[in-house]
Amino acid sequence: QKHVVLIIDGHEAEALEAARGLMQGGFDMRGAGTKAEIVTALGKTPLPDLIIMDVELPDAVGLDLLGKLHEHPDLKSTPIIVVTARAERDDVVAALAYGATGYLNKPLKTETLVRHVKDALGLD
């Protein structure tokens, strides 16, 4: 059974590139860029096995969303990898404090993303 990965990113081109790489890596993909799309994506079953999210979103505060996802009873053990162009130390510390499993800087190579997703899911 394929693992489901949800990408939350307002930058459509970057999200599509990441999704393409992860699909080639054998994952089922879902994408969302707005609050409404996020709600829709999280309303589907099965719930994602892992979430990749940018903290720069068009209509949501990324860290608030990260905290809400982490507190959700069905998602609290779901790994969340933050992928963003914001690379200040405070941004990294805040993301980890809000429950992120990992933090990657954009732009990133597809191989790096696939490796981190597999590591977070405990896959080879």
Side-chain angles (χ1 to χ4, degrees):
Q1 179 183 337
K2 288 186 176 184
H3 285 84
V4 177
V5 176
L6 170 61
I7 296 180
I8 299 173
D9 194 329
H11 302 97
E12 195 172 336
E14 292 173 6
L16 286 171
E17 185 177 332
R20 192 174 303 116
L22 287 165
M23 284 191 324
Q24 289 171 345
F27 295 94
D28 275 345
M29 299 306 307
R30 291 190 197 143
T34 64
K35 276 191 210 175
E37 291 171 352
I38 293 164
V39 169
T40 300
L42 292 174
K44 294 179 180 173
T45 55
L47 284 170
D49 297 300
L50 182 135
I51 298 170
I52 296 168
M53 68 173 289
D54 192 345
V55 289
E56 300 287 321
L57 298 169
D59 66 348
V61 177
L63 287 178
D64 287 349
L65 176 61
L66 175 60
K68 285 179 181 147
L69 290 170
H70 192 66
E71 291 168 6
H72 189 284
D74 296 328
L75 297 170
K76 68 172 115 195
S77 64
T78 303
I80 301 173
I81 299 174
V82 171
V83 178
T84 185
R86 295 177 63 170
E88 298 297 318
R89 184 177 182 278
D90 290 349
D91 295 325
V92 177
V93 170
L96 296 174
Y98 274 85
T101 307
Y103 193 99
L104 299 171
N105 292 328
K106 288 181 178 180
L108 67 139
K109 292 186 168 82
T110 302
E111 307 82 51
T112 303
L113 181 59
V114 171
R115 188 177 70 246
H116 278 82
V117 167
K118 286 183 175 181
D119 285 349
L121 291 170
L123 305 172
D124 294 322

